[in-house]
Amino acid sequence: MKIAILISGRGSNMVSILDAHRQNKFESNIEIEVIISNKTNAEGIIHAKQMGYPVEIIPHINYNSREDHEREIIKLLEDRNIQLIVLAGYMRILSKYFVSNYQNKILNIHPSLLPSFPGLHAQRQAFEYGVKYTGVTVHFVNEEVDQGIIIMQEVLEIYPAETIEQLTLRMLEVEHHIYPKAIDLICSGKYSINGRILQRND
Ligand code: GRF
């Protein structure tokens, strides 16, 4: 399975995926073909290069419209025969045009138990709402933000005395171990989808 990872910033989830790849932790046959950044100064670019993975920078500010920018990305994805797109802190909403080209072939990770707290700053939304449990969701990307089919979730308790910063850090650790597992599941093909329900077949 040929994978592209899209980033915009720090890239810690990307690093966890690249680490898993380098350490042969994936059971499926995975090739990470390219890391794509829409930001020239994304910290993740440095990490990806240090780890020896090819990086392409396609800054959205160089294009007149979202579609023009996406067309350039799709061209790259097609040139490299990419079969799975992994969003890892990619801070652009993908258009219907993009998503329809890659139905159930785009993964995202979101720092809440969806469908609760979609959108930006999900950790803070959950924290300030006062929920006692929150978590991490890996899902397919569809036309609606953070509403695609759920692939995997993991729950985190919010401890009474902890700060939002501590919670965010603990959540990031969970993200780093759940995302490679979810990618492995999708690449293995050992799942079926019935309506919104994704079921593991192993
Ligand atoms: C993570 O919290 C992820 O859940 C969200 O964006 C953040 C990206 O962090 N989608 P990083 O760039 O992977 O460090």
Side-chain angles (χ1 to χ4, degrees), residues 123-135:
Q123 303 93 331
R124 182 168 293 280
Q125 289 186 55
F127 191 81
E128 290 178 353
Y129 195 91
V131 293
K132 304 301 178 207
Y133 293 88
T134 183

Side-chain angles (χ1 to χ4, degrees), residues 58-109:
I58 308 181
H60 62 277
I61 50 166
N62 291 358
Y63 297 84
N64 287 328
S65 69
R66 188 178 296 273
E67 284 217 351
D68 282 351
H69 178 237
E70 290 182 348
R71 242 187 282 278
E72 197 62 29
I73 296 179
I74 290 175
K75 193 167 160 287
L76 179 67
L77 298 173
E78 285 176 351
D79 283 350
R80 307 208 183 195
N81 297 317
I82 299 299
Q83 296 157 296
L84 188 74
I85 299 160
V86 173
L87 306 184
Y90 185 67
M91 298 306 286
R92 303 270 303 163
I93 291 173
L94 297 176
S95 72
K96 288 189 169 65
Y97 158 75
F98 192 119
V99 173
S100 63
N101 265 279
Y102 290 95
Q103 204 74 42
N104 290 350
K105 292 194 164 62
I106 310 171
L107 266 55
N108 185 40
I109 189 159

Side-chain angles (χ1 to χ4, degrees), residues 24 32 35 113 123 178 191:
N24 291 321
I32 299 172
I35 316 298
L113 286 180
Q123 303 93 331
I178 197 177
Y191 66 94

Side-chain angles (χ1 to χ4, degrees), residues 1 6 10 52 61 70 93 100-101 117 128 138 157 162:
M1 189 76 114
L6 271 57
R10 181 177 56 183
I61 50 166
E70 290 182 348
I93 291 173
S100 63
N101 265 279
F117 311 116
E128 290 178 353
V138 180
E157 184 177 358
E162 87 179 324

